[in-house]
């Protein structure tokens, strides 16, 4: 569940960042004024076009706002565009659109929400798996399994720390078939803590494929 906790925490951080951006943006807009501007020219920016917008403040001052946002298709010359300008800073203005106000915070909140939801699903699946293991350990039939190997799981080459797993082989009563079962992952080397060449195996008599190594005698992960 360690991975789901990290993912969920990162998702919560993104959601908080999105909320902070939304709150700060709302507070910033409280010191602005909205007026109608008119696109008077276009500037080419990487095969797209950014508009130059003329507007008049509430005080009657004529200004020209050169937008840094380029679009394709471009704004039409002469079209009316809502503008917000800062009452305290004559140099600051922006096109007043829904996207300009809310797109960035919604991206953070939406991305964070998806991560939190994924972490929750991951947690529930892992918890269900844990409960199934706990049920086998409490109510399953038991047989001794021979330790075949204790090794690090290097299936994920992108991580620096690889967990350890124990492989055991066992034979069920009345069945000569040799079966192999892998333990849960350990984030330490369990070899010094093994008391002998065998470990108990708990399995479901109705479905022998459901088997688990009883490692409760080993120290928990740090």
């Amino acid at each position: 569940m360690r991975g789901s906790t990290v993912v969920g925490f990162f998702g919560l951080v993104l959601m908080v960042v999105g909320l902070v951006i939304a709150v700060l943006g709302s507070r910033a807009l409280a010191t602005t004024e909205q007026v109608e501007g008119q696109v008077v020219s276009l500037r080419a920016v990487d095969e797209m076009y950014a508009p130059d917008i003329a507007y008049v403040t509430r005080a009657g001052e004529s200004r020209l706002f050169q937008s840094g946002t380029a679009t394709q298709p471009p704004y039409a010359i002469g079209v009316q565009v809502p503008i917000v300008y800062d009452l305290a800073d004559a140099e600051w203005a922006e096109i007043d659109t829904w996207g300009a106000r809310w797109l960035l915070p919604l991206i953070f909140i939406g991305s964070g929400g998806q991560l939190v939801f994924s972490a929750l699903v991951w947690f529930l699946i892992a918890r269900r798996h844990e409960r199934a293991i706990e049920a086998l350990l409490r109510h399953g039939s038991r047989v001794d399994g021979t330790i075949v190997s204790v090794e690090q799981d290097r299936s994920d080459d992108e991580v620096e720390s690889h967990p350890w797993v124990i492989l055991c082989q066992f034979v069920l009563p009345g069945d000569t078939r040799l079966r192999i079962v892998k333990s849960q992952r350990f984030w330490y080397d369990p070899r010094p803590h093994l008391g002998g060449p065998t470990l108990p195996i708990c399995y479901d008599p109705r479905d022998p494929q459901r088997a688990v190594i009883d490692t409760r005698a080993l120290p928990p992960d740090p």
Side-chain angles (χ1 to χ4, degrees), residues 72-121:
Q72 184 62 266
Y75 284 90
I77 300 294
V79 69
Q80 297 290 316
V81 178
I83 295 291
V84 287
Y85 65 92
D86 195 329
L87 297 173
D89 183 1
E91 300 298 325
W92 187 91
E94 188 59 79
I95 298 175
D96 188 20
T97 62
W98 183 91
R101 289 193 181 201
W102 304 112
L103 182 58
L104 184 59
L106 284 178
I107 288 175
F108 275 92
I109 294 173
S111 299
Q114 287 183 340
L115 290 178
V116 170
F117 177 76
S118 299
L120 179 60
V121 171

Side-chain angles (χ1 to χ4, degrees), residues 131-159:
R131 288 178 177 174
I133 291 176
E134 292 170 359
L136 280 177
L137 292 174
R138 287 196 307 266
H139 307 297
S141 299
R142 299 173 70 87
V143 67
D144 285 336
T146 303
I147 299 174
V148 177
S149 67
V150 182
E151 58 192 29
Q152 286 183 284
D153 183 358
R154 300 182 180 274
S155 57
D156 189 352
D157 295 332
E158 297 182 0
V159 299

Side-chain angles (χ1 to χ4, degrees), residues 18-222:
L19 290 173
V20 170
I21 293 174
V23 171
L24 294 179
S26 297
R27 290 182 177 178
L29 287 173
T31 63
T32 63
E33 191 78 41
Q34 185 187 68
V35 294
E36 287 294 319
Q38 185 177 37
V39 177
V40 294
S41 61
L42 298 171
R43 289 171 287 109
V45 180
D46 296 331
E47 299 182 357
M48 295 189 292
Y49 296 90
D52 296 332
I53 304 169
Y55 67 98
V56 179
T57 68
R58 298 294 186 188
E61 180 183 356
S62 296
R63 295 181 182 175
L64 180 66
F65 166 57
Q66 294 183 311
S67 174
T69 302
T71 61
Q72 184 62 266
Y75 284 90
I77 300 294
V79 69
Q80 297 290 316
V81 178
I83 295 291
V84 287
Y85 65 92
D86 195 329
L87 297 173
D89 183 1
E91 300 298 325
W92 187 91
E94 188 59 79
I95 298 175
D96 188 20
T97 62
W98 183 91
R101 289 193 181 201
W102 304 112
L103 182 58
L104 184 59
L106 284 178
I107 288 175
F108 275 92
I109 294 173
S111 299
Q114 287 183 340
L115 290 178
V116 170
F117 177 76
S118 299
L120 179 60
V121 171
W122 187 358
F123 172 82
L124 293 176
I125 292 174
R127 185 60 186 138
R128 182 178 181 182
H129 180 66
E130 285 186 356
R131 288 178 177 174
I133 291 176
E134 292 170 359
L136 280 177
L137 292 174
R138 287 196 307 266
H139 307 297
S141 299
R142 299 173 70 87
V143 67
D144 285 336
T146 303
I147 299 174
V148 177
S149 67
V150 182
E151 58 192 29
Q152 286 183 284
D153 183 358
R154 300 182 180 274
S155 57
D156 189 352
D157 295 332
E158 297 182 0
V159 299
E160 296 181 359
S161 178
H162 299 280
W164 292 79
V165 293
I166 303 171
L167 290 179
C168 287
Q169 62 183 17
F170 65 101
V171 176
L172 297 180
D175 188 347
T176 59
R177 190 188 321 171
L178 190 65
R179 303 174 186 269
I180 300 290
V181 62
K182 180 189 294 186
S183 73
Q184 81 275 17
R185 298 184 300 177
F186 295 90
W187 294 98
Y188 66 89
D189 185 353
R191 289 177 296 184
H193 305 282
L194 297 174
T198 64
L199 283 172
I201 306 295
C202 298
Y203 66 95
D204 184 350
R206 298 169 299 180
D207 183 9
Q209 296 296 329
R210 297 180 62 242
V212 62
I213 302 174
D214 187 353
T215 58
R216 289 177 292 180
L218 300 180
D221 280 330

